[in-house]
Amino acid sequence: MAYIDLGLDETVNPGIRGLLRYRPETGRPLMELAEVLLRGPSTLSRGERELVAAYVSGLNECVYCRNSHGAFAAAQLEDGRPLVDQVCDDPASAPITDKLKALLRIAAATRVSGHDVTPSLVAAAHDAGATDAEIHDVVLIAAAFSMFNRYVDALGTLAPTDPAPYEAAAPRVTESGYLA
C-alpha cells in the first residue's frame, strides 16, 4: 500500500491512478500531458510512443508504468507483447527501425540526465530519419515518464504483478485516451 493514505482502495486504483484521484487538481494536468504526448498529433505512432514510455519506465524500474504502458503499446503495435518485451529487454537487437532504435537511445540518455543527450545521439537519430519534432517528443516523453515513474514509486503505490489488469485497461486507454 502507498506510503500515504490515498483514501481509496488501491486494488481498484493501483499505481498512478490512485495518486491522480488523491489530488485531482494535479492529476488532471498530468493526464493532459500524457494525452498530448502519447495520443496527440505526431509522425510517431501511438504504439511507438507508448513503447518509449514503457522502455523508459523499465529502465527506471517502475513496475506499474512499465507494465501499463507496455500493455498499451502491445495493443497498438502489430507484433504486440513479444515486440514490447524484446524492445524493453534489448532494443539494439529488437526488430524495430533504426530510427526507433536511435530515438530509444536518446530516451535512455534523457532518463539519466538531459546532459547525457549529446549532439552525436541527435545526429544519429537524424541520420536514421528522425525529425526534429520526433526527437523533441521522445525527449519530452522520456523526461515526463521519468517524473511519472518517480511519482509512482516514491509514494510506494501498489503495482500489480499480474499482467491481467494492465491488459484489461489497454482497450479503454487505446480507444478513449487518458482523459476518459
Side-chain angles (χ1 to χ4, degrees):
M1 301 313 278
Y3 300 151
I4 61 174
D5 181 5
L6 300 179
L8 49 77
D9 182 351
E10 283 188 76
T11 62
V12 176
N13 295 291
I16 201 167
R17 291 174 44 202
L19 297 172
L20 299 173
R21 284 170 177 74
Y22 175 69
R23 292 286 304 242
E25 64 276 17
T26 57
R28 178 75 180 182
L30 291 174
M31 287 302 87
E32 289 171 350
L33 178 60
E35 181 73 17
V36 170
L37 291 176
L38 301 176
R39 296 177 45 82
S42 178
T43 53
L44 295 173
S45 74
R46 289 177 177 177
E48 289 171 325
R49 289 177 280 164
E50 290 284 1
L51 186 59
V52 172
Y55 175 64
V56 167
S57 297
L59 292 175
N60 286 329
E61 299 178 5
C62 182
V63 172
Y64 180 83
C65 295
R66 190 319 192 159
N67 289 343
S68 60
H69 293 283
F72 306 158
Q76 298 177 85
L77 294 170
E78 185 175 325
D79 293 327
R81 174 53 63 186
L83 178 62
V84 171
D85 291 342
Q86 284 180 294
V87 168
C88 288
D89 290 342
D90 182 17
S93 67
I96 56 175
T97 65
D98 288 340
K99 177 175 90 171
L100 190 53
K101 288 178 183 180
L103 290 170
L104 289 171
R105 286 191 294 275
I106 289 173
T110 300
R111 69 166 272 281
V112 174
S113 168
H115 296 290
D116 285 5
V117 178
T118 62
S120 63
L121 284 173
V122 173
H126 280 140
D127 290 346
T131 66
D132 286 345
E134 290 169 337
I135 294 166
H136 169 276
D137 291 355
V138 163
V139 165
L140 191 49
I141 291 167
F145 273 84
S146 290
M147 176 193 63
F148 290 143
N149 301 157
R150 285 160 180 76
Y151 182 41
V152 166
D153 289 341
L155 290 171
T157 63
L158 179 68
T161 55
D162 180 3
Y166 305 105
E167 292 166 0
R172 176 188 51 78
V173 171
T174 59
E175 291 169 21
S176 302
Y178 290 94
L179 300 176

